[in-house]
């Protein structure tokens, strides 16, 4: 069953985020078998919320185990360190038997 990582991220320093974390996270997403479904800044909360104008990233994975291998890998731990002090994130992992499309 496909799995999705859904990330809402408030970015405090966009230049540092785009120079360090973003390209490394993209590289690792692909290397671990994921693909981006959506990457967009400037979200608007309609209910609830986590910071103003969050960026949202949705990545698709073959299954929950693949997403968890990425998330818990030493390579991604090093990439996550690049966003410390630069951005705050909320991350949801969900697996579904209802594929998109």
């Amino acid at each position: 069953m496909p799995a999705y990582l859904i990330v809402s991220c408030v970015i405090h320093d966009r230049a540092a985020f785009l120079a360090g974390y973003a390209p490394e996270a993209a590289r690792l997403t692909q290397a671990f078998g994921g693909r981006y479904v959506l990457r967009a800044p400037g979200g608007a909360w309609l209910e609830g919320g986590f910071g103003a104008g969050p960026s949202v990233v949705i990545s698709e994975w073959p299954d929950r185990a693949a997403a968890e291998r990425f998330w818990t890998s030493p390579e991604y731990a090093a990439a996550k360190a690049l966003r410390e002090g630069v951005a705050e994130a909320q991350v949801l992992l969900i697996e579904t038997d209802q594929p998109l499309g």
Side-chain angles (χ1 to χ4, degrees), residues 2 5-6 8 22-23 25 35 50 56 64 69 76 81-82 87 91:
L5 281 173
I6 303 168
S8 61
R35 72 174 186 91
F50 168 69
V56 176
R64 179 182 290 261
R69 276 191 300 277
Y76 186 66
L82 297 173
V91 182

Side-chain angles (χ1 to χ4, degrees), residues 26-97:
R27 182 185 75 75
L28 291 170
T29 295
Q30 183 176 12
F32 278 82
R35 72 174 186 91
Y36 287 123
V37 175
L38 177 129
R39 289 189 292 181
W45 292 107
L46 300 180
E47 187 172 331
F50 168 69
S55 293
V56 176
V57 174
I58 301 174
S59 56
E60 181 181 49
W61 300 84
D63 53 35
R64 179 182 290 261
E68 289 174 340
R69 276 191 300 277
F70 161 78
W71 189 257
T72 61
S73 71
E75 296 90 344
Y76 186 66
K80 262 189 356 185
L82 297 173
R83 76 168 193 229
E84 288 179 19
V86 172
E88 299 171 64
Q90 287 188 330
V91 182
L92 172 68
L93 171 59
I94 188 163
E95 188 173 50
T96 179
D97 60 358

Side-chain angles (χ1 to χ4, degrees), residues 4-30:
Y4 297 86
L5 281 173
I6 303 168
V7 180
S8 61
C9 191
V10 176
I11 301 171
H12 304 296
D13 184 341
R14 187 162 293 279
F17 184 86
L18 293 175
Y21 173 77
E24 185 61 5
R27 182 185 75 75
L28 291 170
T29 295
Q30 183 176 12

